[in-house]
Amino acid sequence: MRYVHGIHFLMPYWHANTIKAVITRFSALFLCLTITACVNDASNDDLGTNANRDITVSRSTSPSPDAKVLLTTLPEHRDVILFDVNSYDLTTQAQLILDPIAIRLRNYPDTYLVIVGHSDDDGSDEDNIVLSYERAFSVAIYITAVFGIEEERLQIIAAGKDEPVVTGKAILDKQQNRRVEVISPQAIVRTLSPIAGKK
C-alpha cells in the first residue's frame, strides 16, 4: 500500500508574514521611485527652459550577445538515503547526497522530484506507513528549507514495508530497506548553453 501526498506543509502563518514583508518592501520601493521621478521631472523642466542647450545621448556600440535557448534532456537520476532503526533523522552523509539534488532543482525550474519513503518489516503496517512518510517528509523539508525549492515541485510517497530491496531477517538486510528513494525524473529543460556531458 502506498500513501501519496503532494506536500503543502508550510504554515499559513509563515505565508502571512512573508506577504506582509513583501508588501512593506514594495511600498518603500514605490515611495523612493515616486520621489526620484518627481526630481527628474523638475530637472527636465529646467532643461526645457534653455532651448539652446544640447543634449547628447550616448549609445553603446558593442553588439548585444547572441543568446540561444537550447532544449536539453536531463536523464533520470536516483539516489538512496538510509536511516537508522525507527528514525527519520537525516545524517550528515544524507545531507551531502541531497545537496546536489536540490541544486539541480534550483538550476532547472522545469524539473521536479519524487521522494519515496520505505521501512523494514518490523512493526505494524500502520506504523511502517507513518515512519516511511516521516522519512520522505524529512527529505522534503530539508530541500525546501535549506535551498528554497517550491513545495509543489516535490511529491511524497509512503510505501511502508511493501517494496523491500532485500528480503531477509539479517540486520544488514533490514538496514537496506530503511530508506528513502529520491527520484529526479527525466526532463526536457531550457538552457542557454549545453549541459556538461551533453552534446
Side-chain angles (χ1 to χ4, degrees):
M1 178 177 66
R2 280 185 168 209
Y3 175 74
V4 182
H5 179 54
I7 61 175
H8 298 283
F9 51 80
L10 298 180
M11 299 296 290
Y13 173 78
W14 183 88
H15 286 300
N17 282 347
T18 302
I19 292 170
K20 288 178 184 176
V22 170
I23 291 173
T24 302
R25 289 182 184 175
F26 179 77
S27 300
L29 178 62
F30 182 74
L31 180 61
C32 290
L33 291 175
T34 303
I35 293 171
T36 304
C38 291
V39 171
N40 288 340
D41 285 345
S43 299
N44 289 338
D45 289 342
D46 291 340
L47 288 174
T49 59
N50 189 352
N52 295 325
R53 181 172 296 182
D54 293 331
I55 300 174
T56 304
V57 178
S58 62
R59 296 179 183 272
S60 174
T61 57
S62 60
S64 59
D66 185 16
K68 182 179 180 182
V69 176
L70 303 175
L71 293 179
T72 307
T73 301
L74 285 180
E76 180 179 294
H77 189 76
R78 290 174 177 255
D79 290 279
V80 176
I81 310 293
L82 298 179
F83 290 83
D84 293 330
V85 178
N86 293 326
S87 173
Y88 52 88
D89 294 330
L90 292 176
T91 63
T92 302
Q93 178 69 24
Q95 293 176 19
L96 291 175
I97 294 172
L98 291 173
D99 288 352
I101 298 170
I103 290 171
R104 169 175 153 151
L105 284 171
R106 193 166 61 186
N107 288 343
Y108 303 109
D110 299 328
T111 61
Y112 66 99
L113 210 59
V114 179
I115 305 169
V116 187
H118 300 270
S119 69
D120 58 28
D121 59 358
D122 292 340
S124 67
D125 290 347
E126 292 79 8
D127 289 342
N128 285 323
I129 283 289
V130 171
L131 183 57
S132 64
Y133 177 83
E134 288 173 333
R135 287 172 174 163
F137 189 76
S138 67
V139 169
I141 284 287
Y142 178 79
I143 291 173
T144 56
V146 175
F147 291 89
I149 303 301
E150 301 88 346
E151 60 186 71
E152 58 268 16
R153 295 174 62 194
L154 310 179
Q155 182 182 28
I156 288 179
I157 299 175
K161 65 180 184 181
D162 292 338
E163 299 175 14
V165 291
V166 180
T167 56
K169 298 296 183 181
I171 293 176
L172 291 178
D173 293 342
K174 290 180 178 293
Q175 183 181 29
Q176 296 301 310
N177 293 329
R178 296 191 299 268
R179 71 195 193 281
V180 165
E181 295 173 344
V182 184
I183 306 165
S184 304
Q186 177 178 301
I188 297 176
V189 297
R190 292 164 290 179
T191 64
L192 295 179
S193 60
I195 297 173
K198 290 283 182 182
K199 293 184 179 180

